[in-house]
Short mmCIF file of all heavy atoms in Angstrom, two decimals:
data_model
loop_
_atom_site.label_atom_id
_atom_site.label_comp_id
_atom_site.label_asym_id
_atom_site.label_seq_id
_atom_site.Cartn_x
_atom_site.Cartn_y
_atom_site.Cartn_z
N THR I 260 -158.29 136.38 -3.10
CA THR I 260 -159.21 135.41 -3.63
C THR I 260 -160.62 135.98 -3.54
O THR I 260 -161.06 136.34 -2.41
CB THR I 260 -159.10 134.06 -2.88
OG1 THR I 260 -157.80 133.54 -3.05
CG2 THR I 260 -160.13 133.07 -3.38
N LEU I 261 -161.32 136.11 -4.66
CA LEU I 261 -162.63 136.74 -4.65
C LEU I 261 -163.75 135.71 -4.45
O LEU I 261 -163.85 134.77 -5.21
CB LEU I 261 -162.88 137.41 -6.01
CG LEU I 261 -161.97 138.55 -6.42
CD1 LEU I 261 -162.38 139.05 -7.81
CD2 LEU I 261 -162.03 139.67 -5.39
N VAL I 262 -164.55 135.95 -3.43
CA VAL I 262 -165.74 135.10 -3.21
C VAL I 262 -166.97 135.97 -3.45
O VAL I 262 -167.01 137.14 -3.03
CB VAL I 262 -165.82 134.63 -1.74
CG1 VAL I 262 -166.76 133.43 -1.62
CG2 VAL I 262 -164.49 134.29 -1.19
N GLY I 263 -167.96 135.40 -4.13
CA GLY I 263 -169.21 136.13 -4.35
C GLY I 263 -169.95 136.28 -3.03
O GLY I 263 -170.22 135.27 -2.35
N LEU I 264 -170.25 137.53 -2.65
CA LEU I 264 -170.87 137.74 -1.31
C LEU I 264 -172.07 138.68 -1.40
O LEU I 264 -172.06 139.68 -2.12
CB LEU I 264 -169.84 138.36 -0.38
CG LEU I 264 -168.69 137.42 0.06
CD1 LEU I 264 -167.61 138.20 0.78
CD2 LEU I 264 -169.20 136.28 0.92
N SER I 265 -173.13 138.32 -0.67
CA SER I 265 -174.26 139.25 -0.52
C SER I 265 -174.93 138.98 0.82
O SER I 265 -175.96 139.58 1.14
CB SER I 265 -175.27 139.07 -1.65
OG SER I 265 -175.78 137.76 -1.66
N ARG I 266 -174.34 138.07 1.63
CA ARG I 266 -174.96 137.73 2.93
C ARG I 266 -173.92 137.87 4.02
O ARG I 266 -172.83 137.36 3.92
CB ARG I 266 -175.44 136.28 2.90
CG ARG I 266 -176.62 136.02 1.98
CD ARG I 266 -176.91 134.57 1.87
NE ARG I 266 -176.82 133.83 3.14
CZ ARG I 266 -177.32 132.60 3.31
NH1 ARG I 266 -177.93 131.99 2.31
NH2 ARG I 266 -177.20 131.98 4.48
N PRO I 267 -174.30 138.54 5.12
CA PRO I 267 -173.33 138.72 6.22
C PRO I 267 -172.89 137.40 6.82
O PRO I 267 -171.72 137.27 7.19
CB PRO I 267 -174.10 139.58 7.25
CG PRO I 267 -175.51 139.60 6.82
CD PRO I 267 -175.57 139.25 5.39
N ASP I 268 -173.76 136.37 6.86
CA ASP I 268 -173.33 135.11 7.46
C ASP I 268 -172.25 134.41 6.57
O ASP I 268 -171.34 133.76 7.08
CB ASP I 268 -174.52 134.17 7.72
CG ASP I 268 -175.33 133.86 6.45
OD1 ASP I 268 -175.41 134.74 5.59
OD2 ASP I 268 -175.87 132.76 6.35
N HIS I 269 -172.34 134.59 5.26
CA HIS I 269 -171.29 134.03 4.39
C HIS I 269 -169.99 134.78 4.57
O HIS I 269 -168.92 134.19 4.54
CB HIS I 269 -171.72 134.11 2.91
CG HIS I 269 -172.63 132.97 2.50
ND1 HIS I 269 -173.21 132.89 1.26
CD2 HIS I 269 -173.07 131.88 3.17
CE1 HIS I 269 -173.96 131.80 1.19
NE2 HIS I 269 -173.89 131.18 2.33
N VAL I 270 -170.08 136.10 4.77
CA VAL I 270 -168.86 136.89 5.02
C VAL I 270 -168.17 136.32 6.25
O VAL I 270 -166.99 135.97 6.24
CB VAL I 270 -169.18 138.38 5.27
CG1 VAL I 270 -167.94 139.16 5.68
CG2 VAL I 270 -169.81 139.01 4.03
N GLN I 271 -168.95 136.15 7.34
CA GLN I 271 -168.35 135.67 8.58
C GLN I 271 -167.84 134.26 8.45
O GLN I 271 -166.74 133.93 8.90
CB GLN I 271 -169.39 135.77 9.74
CG GLN I 271 -169.46 137.22 10.25
CD GLN I 271 -170.89 137.71 10.47
OE1 GLN I 271 -171.83 136.91 10.41
NE2 GLN I 271 -171.05 138.98 10.75
N ALA I 272 -168.60 133.37 7.78
CA ALA I 272 -168.17 131.98 7.59
C ALA I 272 -166.86 131.94 6.82
O ALA I 272 -165.95 131.16 7.14
CB ALA I 272 -169.26 131.19 6.85
N ASN I 273 -166.75 132.80 5.80
CA ASN I 273 -165.54 132.75 4.98
C ASN I 273 -164.32 133.32 5.72
O ASN I 273 -163.22 132.84 5.55
CB ASN I 273 -165.79 133.50 3.66
CG ASN I 273 -166.76 132.76 2.77
OD1 ASN I 273 -166.91 131.54 2.89
ND2 ASN I 273 -167.45 133.46 1.92
N VAL I 274 -164.55 134.34 6.54
CA VAL I 274 -163.45 134.88 7.33
C VAL I 274 -162.97 133.84 8.34
O VAL I 274 -161.76 133.63 8.51
CB VAL I 274 -163.87 136.22 7.99
CG1 VAL I 274 -162.82 136.68 8.98
CG2 VAL I 274 -164.08 137.28 6.92
N ARG I 275 -163.91 133.15 8.96
CA ARG I 275 -163.53 132.07 9.91
C ARG I 275 -162.79 130.93 9.17
O ARG I 275 -161.85 130.38 9.68
CB ARG I 275 -164.80 131.47 10.58
CG ARG I 275 -165.23 132.24 11.82
CD ARG I 275 -166.21 131.40 12.64
NE ARG I 275 -167.33 130.86 11.87
CZ ARG I 275 -168.46 131.51 11.61
NH1 ARG I 275 -168.64 132.73 12.10
NH2 ARG I 275 -169.43 130.92 10.91
N ALA I 276 -163.27 130.65 7.95
CA ALA I 276 -162.72 129.51 7.20
C ALA I 276 -161.22 129.66 6.97
O ALA I 276 -160.48 128.68 7.03
CB ALA I 276 -163.43 129.41 5.84
N ILE I 277 -160.78 130.86 6.71
CA ILE I 277 -159.34 131.01 6.35
C ILE I 277 -158.46 130.92 7.60
O ILE I 277 -157.25 130.87 7.49
CB ILE I 277 -159.04 132.26 5.52
CG1 ILE I 277 -159.43 133.52 6.26
CG2 ILE I 277 -159.69 132.16 4.18
CD1 ILE I 277 -158.81 134.76 5.66
N GLU I 278 -159.08 130.87 8.79
CA GLU I 278 -158.27 130.72 10.00
C GLU I 278 -157.96 129.26 10.28
O GLU I 278 -157.12 128.93 11.10
CB GLU I 278 -159.00 131.33 11.20
CG GLU I 278 -158.97 132.87 11.14
CD GLU I 278 -160.05 133.52 11.97
OE1 GLU I 278 -160.75 132.76 12.71
OE2 GLU I 278 -160.20 134.73 11.89
N GLN I 279 -158.69 128.33 9.63
CA GLN I 279 -158.50 126.89 9.89
C GLN I 279 -157.42 126.31 8.97
O GLN I 279 -157.57 126.35 7.75
CB GLN I 279 -159.80 126.12 9.63
CG GLN I 279 -161.02 126.65 10.39
CD GLN I 279 -160.80 126.59 11.88
OE1 GLN I 279 -160.30 125.62 12.42
NE2 GLN I 279 -161.20 127.65 12.56
N PRO I 280 -156.36 125.76 9.56
CA PRO I 280 -155.32 125.15 8.68
C PRO I 280 -155.88 123.96 7.91
O PRO I 280 -156.82 123.30 8.37
CB PRO I 280 -154.24 124.72 9.66
CG PRO I 280 -154.74 124.95 11.02
CD PRO I 280 -156.03 125.66 10.97
N LEU I 281 -155.28 123.67 6.77
CA LEU I 281 -155.74 122.53 5.95
C LEU I 281 -155.18 121.23 6.54
O LEU I 281 -154.03 121.18 6.97
CB LEU I 281 -155.22 122.68 4.52
CG LEU I 281 -155.88 123.73 3.66
CD1 LEU I 281 -155.17 123.79 2.30
CD2 LEU I 281 -157.36 123.44 3.45
N ASP I 282 -155.98 120.18 6.48
CA ASP I 282 -155.55 118.86 6.93
C ASP I 282 -154.95 118.15 5.71
O ASP I 282 -155.66 117.88 4.72
CB ASP I 282 -156.81 118.12 7.46
CG ASP I 282 -156.54 116.67 7.75
OD1 ASP I 282 -155.38 116.24 7.57
OD2 ASP I 282 -157.48 115.98 8.15
N PRO I 283 -153.63 117.86 5.71
CA PRO I 283 -153.01 117.25 4.51
C PRO I 283 -153.65 115.93 4.13
O PRO I 283 -153.73 115.60 2.93
CB PRO I 283 -151.54 117.05 4.97
CG PRO I 283 -151.37 117.76 6.26
CD PRO I 283 -152.70 118.06 6.84
N GLU I 284 -154.12 115.17 5.11
CA GLU I 284 -154.76 113.89 4.83
C GLU I 284 -156.06 114.11 4.03
O GLU I 284 -156.33 113.45 3.04
CB GLU I 284 -155.05 113.18 6.17
CG GLU I 284 -155.79 111.85 6.08
CD GLU I 284 -155.05 110.82 5.23
OE1 GLU I 284 -153.81 110.87 5.17
OE2 GLU I 284 -155.73 109.98 4.61
N LEU I 285 -156.83 115.13 4.48
CA LEU I 285 -158.09 115.45 3.80
C LEU I 285 -157.78 115.92 2.36
O LEU I 285 -158.48 115.54 1.40
CB LEU I 285 -158.86 116.53 4.55
CG LEU I 285 -160.16 117.03 3.90
CD1 LEU I 285 -161.15 115.90 3.67
CD2 LEU I 285 -160.81 118.16 4.72
N LEU I 286 -156.72 116.68 2.20
CA LEU I 286 -156.34 117.15 0.84
C LEU I 286 -156.04 115.97 -0.07
O LEU I 286 -156.42 115.97 -1.25
CB LEU I 286 -155.15 118.07 0.92
CG LEU I 286 -155.40 119.55 1.10
CD1 LEU I 286 -154.13 120.32 0.91
CD2 LEU I 286 -156.48 120.05 0.11
N ARG I 287 -155.34 114.98 0.47
CA ARG I 287 -155.00 113.77 -0.34
C ARG I 287 -156.29 113.07 -0.73
O ARG I 287 -156.45 112.63 -1.87
CB ARG I 287 -154.09 112.84 0.44
CG ARG I 287 -152.59 113.21 0.28
CD ARG I 287 -151.69 112.11 0.82
NE ARG I 287 -151.82 111.95 2.29
CZ ARG I 287 -151.13 112.69 3.18
NH1 ARG I 287 -150.28 113.60 2.75
NH2 ARG I 287 -151.30 112.52 4.46
N GLU I 288 -157.23 112.98 0.20
CA GLU I 288 -158.51 112.32 -0.10
C GLU I 288 -159.30 113.09 -1.12
O GLU I 288 -159.95 112.52 -2.01
CB GLU I 288 -159.35 112.16 1.20
CG GLU I 288 -158.78 111.11 2.15
CD GLU I 288 -159.57 111.06 3.44
OE1 GLU I 288 -159.73 112.09 4.11
OE2 GLU I 288 -160.06 109.98 3.78
N ILE I 289 -159.23 114.42 -1.04
CA ILE I 289 -159.93 115.26 -2.04
C ILE I 289 -159.34 115.03 -3.43
O ILE I 289 -160.06 114.86 -4.43
CB ILE I 289 -159.88 116.76 -1.63
CG1 ILE I 289 -160.77 117.00 -0.40
CG2 ILE I 289 -160.29 117.66 -2.80
CD1 ILE I 289 -160.69 118.38 0.18
N GLU I 290 -158.01 114.99 -3.50
CA GLU I 290 -157.37 114.77 -4.79
C GLU I 290 -157.81 113.42 -5.40
O GLU I 290 -158.13 113.36 -6.58
CB GLU I 290 -155.85 114.76 -4.55
CG GLU I 290 -155.07 115.17 -5.76
CD GLU I 290 -153.57 115.15 -5.49
OE1 GLU I 290 -153.13 115.50 -4.36
OE2 GLU I 290 -152.84 114.76 -6.41
N ALA I 291 -157.91 112.42 -4.55
CA ALA I 291 -158.35 111.09 -5.03
C ALA I 291 -159.80 111.15 -5.47
O ALA I 291 -160.19 110.55 -6.48
CB ALA I 291 -158.14 110.06 -3.95
N ALA I 292 -160.63 111.89 -4.74
CA ALA I 292 -162.05 111.97 -5.07
C ALA I 292 -162.27 112.72 -6.39
O ALA I 292 -163.18 112.42 -7.16
CB ALA I 292 -162.81 112.69 -3.93
N VAL I 293 -161.42 113.71 -6.66
CA VAL I 293 -161.55 114.47 -7.93
C VAL I 293 -161.09 113.60 -9.10
O VAL I 293 -161.74 113.56 -10.17
CB VAL I 293 -160.74 115.80 -7.89
CG1 VAL I 293 -160.80 116.53 -9.22
CG2 VAL I 293 -161.29 116.69 -6.76
N GLY I 294 -159.99 112.86 -8.89
CA GLY I 294 -159.49 111.90 -9.92
C GLY I 294 -159.28 112.55 -11.27
O GLY I 294 -158.73 113.67 -11.35
N PRO I 295 -159.69 111.91 -12.35
CA PRO I 295 -159.40 112.43 -13.70
C PRO I 295 -160.20 113.70 -14.06
O PRO I 295 -159.95 114.26 -15.12
CB PRO I 295 -159.78 111.26 -14.62
CG PRO I 295 -160.59 110.35 -13.81
CD PRO I 295 -160.34 110.60 -12.37
N ALA I 296 -161.11 114.14 -13.18
CA ALA I 296 -161.83 115.41 -13.48
C ALA I 296 -160.98 116.60 -13.08
O ALA I 296 -161.43 117.76 -13.26
CB ALA I 296 -163.15 115.43 -12.74
N ALA I 297 -159.77 116.35 -12.58
CA ALA I 297 -158.91 117.49 -12.19
C ALA I 297 -158.43 118.23 -13.43
O ALA I 297 -158.18 117.61 -14.48
CB ALA I 297 -157.71 116.97 -11.41
N ASN I 298 -158.31 119.53 -13.32
CA ASN I 298 -157.75 120.36 -14.38
C ASN I 298 -158.53 120.32 -15.69
O ASN I 298 -157.95 120.39 -16.77
CB ASN I 298 -156.28 120.03 -14.62
CG ASN I 298 -155.45 120.47 -13.47
OD1 ASN I 298 -155.56 121.62 -13.03
ND2 ASN I 298 -154.67 119.58 -12.92
N VAL I 299 -159.83 120.15 -15.60
CA VAL I 299 -160.70 120.17 -16.78
C VAL I 299 -161.35 121.57 -16.83
O VAL I 299 -161.93 122.02 -15.85
CB VAL I 299 -161.78 119.09 -16.72
CG1 VAL I 299 -162.76 119.23 -17.87
CG2 VAL I 299 -161.15 117.70 -16.72
N THR I 300 -161.22 122.22 -17.98
CA THR I 300 -161.90 123.52 -18.13
C THR I 300 -162.88 123.42 -19.30
O THR I 300 -163.24 122.35 -19.70
CB THR I 300 -160.86 124.64 -18.28
OG1 THR I 300 -161.53 125.90 -18.35
CG2 THR I 300 -159.97 124.48 -19.49
N TRP I 301 -163.36 124.56 -19.76
CA TRP I 301 -164.37 124.54 -20.82
C TRP I 301 -164.14 125.75 -21.74
O TRP I 301 -163.42 126.65 -21.36
CB TRP I 301 -165.79 124.59 -20.21
CG TRP I 301 -165.96 125.70 -19.23
CD1 TRP I 301 -166.30 127.02 -19.51
CD2 TRP I 301 -165.77 125.65 -17.82
NE1 TRP I 301 -166.34 127.75 -18.36
CE2 TRP I 301 -166.01 126.94 -17.30
CE3 TRP I 301 -165.40 124.61 -16.94
CZ2 TRP I 301 -165.91 127.22 -15.95
CZ3 TRP I 301 -165.31 124.92 -15.57
CH2 TRP I 301 -165.56 126.21 -15.08
N PRO I 302 -164.71 125.73 -22.93
CA PRO I 302 -164.46 126.82 -23.84
C PRO I 302 -165.14 128.12 -23.41
O PRO I 302 -166.19 128.10 -22.75
CB PRO I 302 -165.11 126.36 -25.18
CG PRO I 302 -165.61 124.99 -24.94
CD PRO I 302 -165.63 124.72 -23.49
N SER I 303 -164.53 129.24 -23.75
CA SER I 303 -165.12 130.55 -23.45
C SER I 303 -164.63 131.53 -24.51
O SER I 303 -163.45 131.57 -24.85
CB SER I 303 -164.68 131.02 -22.07
OG SER I 303 -165.21 132.30 -21.79
N GLY I 304 -165.55 132.30 -25.06
CA GLY I 304 -165.17 133.34 -26.01
C GLY I 304 -164.84 132.80 -27.39
O GLY I 304 -165.30 131.73 -27.80
N ARG I 305 -163.99 133.53 -28.12
CA ARG I 305 -163.66 133.15 -29.49
C ARG I 305 -162.77 131.91 -29.48
O ARG I 305 -161.83 131.84 -28.65
CB ARG I 305 -162.94 134.31 -30.20
CG ARG I 305 -163.79 135.55 -30.28
CD ARG I 305 -163.07 136.63 -31.07
NE ARG I 305 -163.87 137.82 -31.12
CZ ARG I 305 -163.69 138.85 -31.95
NH1 ARG I 305 -162.68 138.79 -32.82
NH2 ARG I 305 -164.47 139.88 -31.94
N PRO I 306 -162.99 130.97 -30.39
CA PRO I 306 -162.23 129.72 -30.38
C PRO I 306 -160.70 129.98 -30.38
O PRO I 306 -159.96 129.30 -29.66
CB PRO I 306 -162.66 129.00 -31.66
CG PRO I 306 -163.99 129.56 -32.00
CD PRO I 306 -163.99 130.97 -31.45
#
Side-chain angles (χ1 to χ4, degrees):
T260 297
L261 297 179
V262 198
L264 291 170
S265 61
R266 291 172 42 165
D268 57 328
H269 279 175
V270 174
Q271 280 136 9
N273 291 336
V274 170
R275 274 196 309 274
I277 59 164
E278 287 160 6
Q279 305 301 317
L281 287 177
D282 171 2
E284 177 59 29
L285 176 59
L286 270 190
R287 274 191 294 274
E288 289 176 304
I289 289 174
E290 207 181 323
V293 176
N298 290 311
V299 173
T300 183
W301 53 85
S303 177
R305 299 184 181 195

